[in-house]
Amino acid sequence: MENTENIEQEALKEADAAKDSGALYEVKMKFLGRAGKVTALLKNMRAVAAEERPAFGKKINDLRERLEAKFSSLEEKLKKREMQEKLSTEEIDVTMPGRRQQSGGLHPVTIVKDRLVELFSGMGFEVFEGPEIEDQYYNFTALNTPEDHPARDMQDTFYLSEEFLLRTQTSAGQIRVMQSQKPPIKIVSPGRVFRSDDDATHSPMFHQMEGLVVDKGITLADLYGMLDEFAKAMFSKDVKTRLRPSYFPFTEPSVEVDVSCFSCGGKGCALCKGTGWIEVLGAGMVNRKVLQNCNIDPDEYSGFAFGLGLERIAMLKYGVNNIKLFTENDVRFLEQFRDERR
Ligand code: DAH
């Protein structure tokens, strides 16, 4: 009985001394918790003479109730004070700038592709997308590529079987378009192509865009005029264009197209390797044999075609020196294009 009084005094004293609700909780547990001092008294019941047990039990329960009331009133007071302190010290500065949500951006190859599609759409071209898995016929044979042409080699082309392969050029789409549409034809065909090739400027997977125009009376001058337009819109309005003779099995004559260096203006620099000119694409007049392969009469119709590498254009345009950067997905690289106009 005496012990209960001591415990009560002790509990009240410690409760009053608690500085915050956390400390108060500790004190509460010390006395009323499962291993607390008051709880321990009940466990001592056995030591009390049987006739005194009811009185003893009541005494402890009363004590428990008094302490509980004390703790909850103290707790309420402390919590109120803590809330007031919090409110008076924490301030919201409504003039602080907000945290901006970072938005993603388009991949540089997508930016170049979209610009080109926009540009050529403006000149009346439609977009055609061919399959990435082609067969030898569309990728080579119909494009007048001889059976023993080195491009057909296993070293250059990824074969899926004797017949099927991953297309090495979007030119394969030319055949599909000419076999399914009648002239006039005016299409561009962007897409992925695959070659067994791997260095700083070549990647086993890259993107090309093909262009094809077939109609009556199409000449090399039409090709030249259109390319000049393309180069000015893509690089700078001051660039000049020139055609150099070249060879592709599917065009005759074939040309390689250079633009005057948009970095140095043609004087010679690192970008144009001192020549003042940069090669941007291959093109030519559609070979008569290719037209014939697609049942288009070469005496009635003529056409031009061109093919360019999207990574190459992006590298030139943005000064990227390694093609691997386009597929590594390093955000430090990609985020530099976030605000690039499409
Ligand atoms: N297919 C060629 C290549 O992959 C590029 C090309 C050259 C496409 C001339 C054409 C063209 O349409 O006329 O290198």
Side-chain angles (χ1 to χ4, degrees):
M1 293 288 183
E2 249 169 62
N3 204 8
T4 53
E5 255 132 63
N6 290 342
I7 287 174
E8 182 164 15
Q9 291 314 311
E10 198 188 337
L12 292 176
K13 208 170 117 195
E14 287 189 26
D16 281 327
K19 285 201 198 64
D20 54 41
S21 55
L24 183 69
Y25 180 78
E26 299 282 309
V27 179
K28 185 174 168 184
M29 286 302 110
K30 182 173 166 186
F31 292 92
L32 301 182
R34 274 210 294 149
K37 289 190 172 183
V38 176
T39 319
L41 284 176
L42 282 174
K43 287 182 188 150
N44 277 342
M45 199 67 109
R46 280 166 180 273
V48 179
E51 63 276 14
E52 285 179 27
R53 274 184 201 161
F56 181 70
K58 183 171 183 326
K59 196 169 169 106
I60 293 171
N61 279 335
D62 289 348
L63 166 63
R64 200 182 177 87
E65 273 167 31
R66 282 198 302 280
L67 288 180
E68 260 163 13
K70 173 79 176 174
F71 280 120
S72 50
S73 85
L74 275 180
E75 189 184 341
E76 200 180 318
K77 239 188 272 172
L78 288 175
K79 287 233 161 116
K80 211 183 239 172
R81 201 178 71 198
E82 282 160 14
M83 178 58 83
Q84 251 146 18
E85 262 166 30
K86 206 171 163 193
L87 289 177
S88 63
T89 53
E90 269 180 13
E91 281 175 23
I92 295 173
D93 183 351
V94 292
T95 65
M96 287 258 286
R99 250 179 248 150
R100 220 169 251 283
Q101 190 86 24
Q102 288 269 336
S103 65
L106 293 175
H107 190 279
V109 171
T110 305
I111 296 172
V112 167
K113 186 194 84 180
D114 288 352
R115 281 194 112 188
L116 287 170
V117 166
E118 198 179 282
L119 176 67
F120 284 105
S121 301
M123 295 195 243
F125 285 74
E126 279 174 52
V127 176
F128 168 84
E129 282 189 52
E132 290 174 4
I133 294 176
E134 274 293 6
D135 60 26
Q136 294 234 32
Y137 175 76
Y138 285 101
N139 198 78
F140 293 126
T141 314
L143 286 164
N144 194 38
T145 311
E147 286 296 332
D148 59 355
H149 193 282
R152 292 200 189 218
D153 278 2
M154 293 269 291
Q155 286 91 333
D156 294 303
T157 301
F158 293 115
Y159 284 91
L160 303 173
S161 66
E162 282 272 308
E163 191 187 355
F164 291 104
L165 44 79
L166 296 178
R167 68 175 173 196
T168 62
Q169 48 188 0
T170 45
S171 306
Q174 286 187 27
I175 306 301
R176 292 187 177 272
V177 171
M178 285 191 278
Q179 286 186 349
S180 62
Q181 296 177 28
K182 298 233 162 311
I185 290 169
K186 207 171 177 186
I187 60 102
V188 285
S189 184
R192 275 191 285 197
V193 298
F194 306 84
R195 287 181 199 179
S196 186
D197 215 351
D198 203 3
D199 62 35
T201 54
H202 297 88
S203 151
M205 185 282 295
F206 63 104
H207 300 76
Q208 284 189 330
M209 198 171 92
E210 195 79 9
L212 175 70
V213 174
V214 181
D215 201 354
K216 288 178 180 162
I218 299 291
T219 71
L220 199 64
D222 296 311
L223 171 65
Y224 191 33
M226 186 224 64
L227 288 174
D228 200 52
E229 194 82 6
F230 146 79
K232 287 185 164 60
M234 203 58 196
F235 299 109
S236 136
K237 59 178 174 18
D238 312 312
V239 300
K240 292 187 191 62
T241 327
R242 75 175 183 189
L243 305 183
R244 259 183 308 111
S246 185
Y247 172 78
F248 299 102
F250 34 89
T251 44
E252 181 55 38
S254 301
V255 293
E256 231 133 356
V257 181
D258 295 343
V259 297
S260 60
C261 184
F262 40 84
S263 178
C264 64
K267 285 196 279 297
C269 68
L271 186 67
C272 60
K273 301 192 185 84
T275 65
W277 294 92
I278 298 172
E279 185 192 317
V280 289
L281 57 91
M285 298 307 292
V286 180
N287 194 308
R288 289 173 63 89
K289 288 190 192 145
V290 174
L291 292 174
Q292 272 160 351
N293 288 342
C294 302
N295 290 318
I296 293 174
D297 182 357
D299 291 325
E300 193 181 354
Y301 291 102
S302 58
F304 68 73
F306 60 93
L308 50 85
L310 299 184
E311 279 83 356
R312 176 158 172 79
I313 303 285
M315 288 172 87
L316 291 171
K317 204 171 152 54
Y318 302 122
V320 176
N321 60 10
N322 194 317
I323 198 166
K324 300 287 173 305
L325 289 163
F326 293 120
T327 43
E328 274 171 353
N329 268 346
D330 186 331
V331 277
R332 291 170 303 177
F333 172 73
L334 295 173
E335 72 187 359
Q336 296 178 62
F337 300 93
R338 190 169 42 220
D339 302 322
E340 190 65 34
R341 219 205 97 216
R342 304 177 76 207

